[in-house]
Every structure is written in structure tokens, then in C-alpha cells.
Amino acid sequence: MGEPGFFVTGDRAGGRSWCLRRVGMSAGWLLLEDGCEVTVGRGFGVTYQLVSKICPLMISRNHCVLKQNPEGQWTIMDNKSLNGVWLNRARLEPLRVYSIHQGDYIQLGVPLENKENAEYEYEVTEEDWETIYPCLSPKNDQVIEKNKELRTKRKFSLDELAGPGAEGPSNLKSKINKVSCESGQSVKSQGKGEVSSTPSENLDPKLTVLEPSKKTTGAPIYLGFPKVTEVHHEQTASNSSASQRGLQMFKVTMSRILRLKIQMQEKHEAVMNVKKQTQKGNSKKIVQMEQELQDLQSQLCAEQAQQQARVEQLEKTFQEEEQHLQDLEIAQGEEDLKQQLAQALQEHWALMEELNRSKKDFEAIIQAKNKELEQTKEEKEKVQAQKEEVLSHMNDVLENELQCIICSEYFIEAVTLNCAHSFCSYCINEWMKRKIECPICRKDIKSKTYSLVLDNCINKMVNNLSSEVKERRIVLIRERKAKRLF
């Protein structure tokens, strides 16, 4: 469990704070800071960025907003999210503010298939800061800042690898110059008839111990020189062997310089002892010893000059090898780029193949849907034909069986006589003003009975006919009612 990406302030440490505790987890809690507006979503401009690994589009870019009202009560608002915000198992209306209290259950998004709970479920709680702090989720701006620092550190590390070592040929040259200056001072003091009492320890200890490392497998590494990276190419084998020979010669020369220094020191001590023993002394012996000392110093100067030339040669060799290594690194980088490009091309072709397969699948689905639509269209046409046939049959029935023989219209307020023949109430009443007998069978009319069943059947059948038939029937009913009143 990682530490949160912010510091514990002095006034908050030891107090209590509101937070959204993630259900069933000891990490990913969301802190509700007093006086601050907290936004949650998968976008970059929010306080807490939630990116679902299972369903990335489950959380909207700016999913919800939590803030305090003027009374200090925390509230939550669904910011028109796609999958919604749920408070105590009830979905919130978008852009409407709801108050939340301790123990309330907040759900962001909906559960996926075959899962009982959503991925992001929280409980509103107020806890001690020491309990909340280890479980808090880092804020979005702090995650971005951390990523920038990581990229900066990576850049610095690459620069350090690309740059030269802490000690290079220039440092080596300065150390050799230091030895030359110290030896020059000894020679100048000898010219005055005095011998410098500088001990042999004036030599740089890094230059006096130049043993090759037994653990190295490539070019040998010597103390005081930059490390030479092992190169597995035939072109660098000759340069490495030349550098090794130069270093061996440098080692031998430095050993000789050290021996000459020791001999010169011993001669100097002998001269000083002789001077102390015989104040007047044997001047001839002293001059001879001083001459030997001067010869040793001359020899030392010659060795140092020769050593300086070899150091310059080694410096040049190391520069050439360093340049060669840089060229190899560039070539290696180009090869890595080619490999990455080839890998990217392979991934591109794999993606294109997958897209082609998906396209074929979609085409097959579309064809199947078109086939279903055609079948549905045919079935619809069949149903329409059947409906038209039924309507035609119904019209025939209405025209042949349900029409009044007097007015040739569908029965209006049908009346059945004692002879079982049916007529419109208005039509039979008008007929009976002239004759009291049935217009069809000529039997005397003794009784009339209203047929409600026949009226209801005719009304229902007329509702399925054209609007013209309906309007004509309505007009006819109105006219007969008006005539009845007069």
C-alpha cells in the first residue's frame, strides 16, 4: 500500500477529517477537505482521477462534484454522467444537489455483467487523520507532478551515462604536472647547494599504485583513469590492446620514478648526515655525493618528461576510444529504433487483420439483419393483405346484412320487428306513417324492439372503416336527431 502524494499539515495531524472510504479496500480513499470542491472523473482536470481497468468508459470525464453548502454540510451532484451516481441505492438526478451524511453509501457507475457490485463503491465516514492518511488516493495534479519528476530523473540518469567519468585524462595530466612541479622544486633547491628534504610520500598515492583489477574482463581499469566499457566488436580489439600496452609502460615508468625518488632521498639524507658529523668535513666527498644527487635528479626529470609524453598519448587514445564508443552507442540506438519500428509495424498489421475480421463479422451481422428485415417486411405485407381481406369481407357483410333496406345506410338505432326484420328506428317510423306492415314480408307490425347488440357491432365495425364513412354516418345521425326534434 503506497503512501498518498501529499504532506501531513500540522493543523490536520491528530484531528478528524471527512472522506469517502472505498468499500472492501484499504486504499483509494477520497479525502473531503474543508472549504474545497472535490471533483471525481477520468479526465485530467479533476481532483481525483478514476480510470477503470475493467471498463474505461464506466466513469465519465467529470463524473460528480462534492462540496460543502453554506452550513458546512457536504453535498454531492451528478455532473451529467453517463452511468450515473447512486446514493443509498437510489440514482441521483443530474445537476441536482443532494446532502450526504456519515454512513451513506455512494456508488459511481453500474455493476458489470455477472457482478453484484460496482467497481467504485464508497461509504461516507469521518475518521482520525492517522487512520485515513495511509489509505488515501493521490490527487491528480500530484500524480502528474510525480510523473514529471520521474521523467526528469530518467533524463538526468541518461545524461550521466552519456557523459565522461568523474576522472579523465585531464585529471591524470594535472596529477602528473603536480609531480613534475614537486620534482622541479627539488632541482631548484639543489642548485643552491642544498638538497630538498621532501619525502617520497609527495608522490600522488593514486599514481604509485597502478595494479590492474583482477575482476575486469574487458580492457583493464587503472586507478585514476576513466573506466573503459567492454566492447564486443573486432574493431575495438586493437585499440584496447594498445591502451593496455601503454598503461603497462606507464606503470613501469612510474615505478622507476619512485625508485629514483627513494634513491635521491637516501642520498640527501646521507649528505645531511655527513655534514652533521664533520662540520668542517671532507669537502671532496660531499661534492661527489651532491654530484650523484644532481645526476639522480636529472635522470628523474628526464623520466618525468618521457612520462608526460606517454600520458598525452594515452589521453589521445582514450579520446579516440570514447568517440568510437559514442558512435557505437548511436549505431545501437538506430538499431533499437529499427527494431521498435518493426515491432510497431507488426502490431499495426495485427491490428489491421483484427479490424478486417471485425469488418467481416459486422458485414455478416448486417446481412443477417437485412435478411430478417426482408422476412419481417414479407410477413408485414402478408398481415396487411389479410387485414385488407378482413376489411373487405366486413364491408361485404355491412353492405349485405347490416344495411337498412329503406335508406340503404348502415343501421342507426336498429329496431327489430315481430317478423325478425331489422330497420333504422327513424326509417321504420317514417314508413309506419304510411303503412303498418313490414316493407320486406308485408306482415302487420305488432311490436318493435331496439337491438343494442346490433348497434354496438355496427359502431365497432365502422370505426375500422375509412374516415369518409365515419363522417357521413355522424352527419346522418345529427340530421335524424334534428328532424326528430321538429
Side-chain angles (χ1 to χ4, degrees), residues 124-183:
V124 181
T125 181
E126 185 180 14
E127 299 285 349
D128 293 334
W129 177 249
E130 290 77 6
T131 304
I132 297 174
Y133 177 71
C135 306
L136 290 178
S137 176
K139 293 185 179 180
N140 189 27
D141 53 354
Q142 293 158 356
V143 173
I144 295 173
E145 186 66 25
K146 185 177 180 181
N147 292 335
K148 288 182 180 179
E149 291 178 358
L150 289 176
R151 287 195 294 269
T152 305
K153 290 180 180 179
R154 189 179 299 113
K155 181 179 178 182
F156 287 162
S157 62
L158 291 175
D159 292 341
E160 290 173 0
L161 290 174
E167 290 186 4
S170 60
N171 288 339
L172 176 64
K173 186 174 180 179
S174 62
K175 291 177 181 178
I176 297 301
N177 290 335
K178 181 180 178 182
V179 175
S180 302
C181 292
E182 292 174 354
S183 301

Side-chain angles (χ1 to χ4, degrees), residues 22 50-59 112 115 119-120:
R22 193 165 181 183
L50 303 181
V51 180
S52 174
K53 297 180 180 178
I54 303 174
C55 181
L57 299 180
M58 179 63 69
I59 304 298
L112 297 176
K115 290 193 176 182
E119 183 177 1
Y120 294 101

